[in-house]
Amino acid sequence: QVQLVESGGGLAQAGGSLRLSCVASGRTYSVQAMGWFRQAPGKEREFVGRIIWSLGATYYADSVKGRFSISRDNAKNTVYLQMNSLNAEDTAVYYCAANTNWRKSTYDYWGQGTQVTVSS
């Protein structure tokens, strides 16, 4: 099992920035990729981006490309989501997720989520 705990959410002004963190514990050696997702009220959960742990390769949804970036700290088993140029459409609960096969688009483990609210 892998446990994921997100932090760093909160209130930001439009145009501002936030950095989310996700700490993994447990069988972290099995994790090959970690992703960030978000779910706004009344909407389906959507993919934000992901990182392949061993390569550091990152991929992003078009809606956040150029504004958000994902990085990792191997020593801390932590992945970060740096969010810049925030706008009201970024308001959502953000979740990190981990999978044990980076070729898969489905994820095996999920965090509890952290709320991000952007005021315009």
Side-chain angles (χ1 to χ4, degrees), residues 9-88:
L11 179 65
Q13 289 189 334
S17 299
L18 280 176
R19 188 178 80 158
L20 306 183
S21 300
C22 176
V23 179
S25 61
R27 296 184 176 182
T28 57
Y29 58 84
S30 66
V31 173
Q32 294 191 1
M34 293 187 71
W36 285 97
F37 293 78
R38 66 186 182 184
Q39 187 166 20
K43 294 187 177 181
E44 293 187 353
R45 185 174 60 197
E46 67 170 344
F47 170 78
V48 173
R50 72 170 186 145
I51 184 167
I52 298 175
W53 198 264
S54 61
L55 301 176
T58 54
Y59 306 87
Y60 301 95
D62 288 344
S63 59
V64 306
K65 201 172 294 182
R67 300 189 298 123
F68 291 10
S69 63
I70 297 173
S71 60
R72 74 197 188 309
D73 184 327
N74 289 344
K76 297 181 179 179
N77 289 325
T78 300
V79 65
Y80 303 98
L81 178 65
Q82 177 67 44
M83 305 184 293
N84 299 326
S85 301
L86 288 163
N87 57 60

